[in-house]
């Protein structure tokens, strides 16, 4: 009798990079509960549909989302509103938790080139990473560091420059449409994290960070097993 074929074991995709650039909200930290609370309150105040607002709010700086949602409102009002919302978000960490696998993933990056690239400011990123029990990377690009919000690639390009790595040699970890677009526009490969990322065409998609394994490949290279 012919031998029964043995099913092939799926081999995870392997990426190589010289640096990793990591978004925070939705990628390392699950802050959806607080984001929903604050943005839905904002939507109600302005007579907007909360579901439509949430489609825009993820991944961008607040004032950039407001500019899309209220295109006729002066930017000065958006900036003032954004400052108030940042203070609210920084004070409200109820329900902020680590994405599964984030703690182990960050631990595996110690000694390897990586940076946080987030639309949050210093205060908010510090508060949320602490609430989730996660270590802040030494290299960080926050809202104060850039003149343009994601989906503009400025933040990722600054992260690469700070680490001294060419954009093409970086891999971005992102969850949002704006963030994935920013990574692609920077000329980088993108690992999408979570269900939200799947609709926006990342190079590779993982359910969470438990599906990522990192190795020091030597010679300044990082090897990633993903999926």
């Amino acid at each position: 009798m012919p031998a029964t074929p043995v099913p092939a074991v799926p081999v995870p995709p392997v990426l190589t990079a010289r640096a990793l650039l990591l978004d925070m909200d939705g990628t390392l930290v699950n802050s959806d509960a607080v984001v929903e609370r604050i943005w839905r309150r904002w939507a109600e105040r302005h007579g907007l549909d909360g579901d439509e607002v949430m489609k825009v709010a993820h991944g961008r700086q607040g004032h950039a989302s407001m500019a899309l949602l209220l295109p006729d409102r002066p930017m000065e009002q958006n900036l003032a509103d954004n400052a108030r919302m940042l203070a609210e978000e920084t004070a409200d960490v109820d329900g902020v938790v680590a994405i599964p696998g984030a703690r182990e993933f960050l631990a595996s990056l110690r000694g390897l080139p990586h940076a946080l690239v987030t639309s949050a400011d210093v205060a908010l990123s510090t508060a949320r990473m602490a609430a989730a029990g996660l270590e802040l990377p030494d290299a960080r690009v926050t809202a104060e560091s850039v003149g343009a919000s994601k989906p503009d690639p400025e933040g990722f390009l600054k992260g690469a420059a700070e680490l001294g790595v060419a954009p093409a040699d970086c891999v971005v970890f992102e969850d949002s449409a704006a963030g994935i677009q920013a990574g692609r526009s920077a000329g980088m490969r993108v690992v999408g994290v979570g269900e939200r990322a799947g609709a926006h065409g990342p190079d590779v998609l993982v359910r969470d960070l438990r599906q990522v394994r990192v190795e020091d490949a030597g010679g300044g290279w990082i090897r990633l097993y993903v999926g």
Side-chain angles (χ1 to χ4, degrees):
M1 292 178 61
T4 303
V6 177
V9 177
V11 178
V14 180
L15 301 176
T16 54
R18 290 194 178 274
L20 306 185
L21 302 177
L22 316 173
D23 174 52
M24 182 182 71
D25 291 303
T27 301
L28 297 173
V29 170
N30 182 346
S31 57
D32 282 359
V34 61
V35 171
E36 288 266 345
R37 281 195 296 275
I38 287 175
W39 275 98
R40 284 185 183 277
R41 284 202 299 265
W42 182 88
E44 190 175 349
R45 285 197 299 270
H46 293 281
L48 299 173
D49 181 86
D51 291 340
E52 294 304 313
V53 167
M54 294 316 303
K55 290 176 184 177
V56 173
H58 289 291
R60 293 179 174 84
Q61 291 185 39
H63 63 79
S65 296
M66 292 170 193
L68 291 173
L69 292 161
L70 297 173
D72 297 326
R73 190 165 81 152
M75 183 52 76
E76 292 77 12
Q77 289 185 35
N78 293 339
L79 291 169
D81 220 357
N82 184 54
R84 285 190 293 271
M85 287 181 71
L86 280 171
E88 282 184 64
E89 289 185 277
T90 302
D92 183 358
V93 292
D94 186 27
V96 173
V97 296
I99 293 291
R103 192 171 291 107
E104 296 79 7
F105 174 64
L106 286 171
S108 72
L109 294 180
R110 288 185 192 128
L112 299 175
H114 66 287
L116 187 73
V117 180
T118 176
S119 295
D121 63 6
V122 169
L124 181 57
S125 58
T126 302
R128 284 192 176 159
M129 291 288 280
L134 298 177
E135 230 177 278
L136 274 166
D138 291 335
R140 299 187 286 275
V141 178
T142 61
E144 297 93 339
S145 312
V146 297
S149 171
K150 299 172 185 176
D152 192 281
E154 181 185 359
F156 286 125
L157 292 172
K158 282 199 168 184
E162 185 167 335
L163 296 171
V165 174
D169 290 333
C170 294
V171 168
V172 165
F173 282 73
E174 263 288 359
D175 75 299
S176 70
I180 291 169
Q181 184 180 334
R184 287 195 173 286
S185 296
M188 302 172 182
R189 291 155 293 157
V190 180
V191 175
V193 180
E195 186 178 345
R196 185 159 52 227
H200 305 294
D203 294 282
V204 183
L205 180 66
V206 296
R207 181 180 61 255
D208 57 47
L209 294 169
R210 292 174 294 187
Q211 291 188 289
V212 181
R213 185 163 62 86
V214 179
E215 281 183 358
D216 184 346
W221 288 96
I222 300 166
R223 188 176 292 117
L224 296 168
Y225 299 89
V226 292

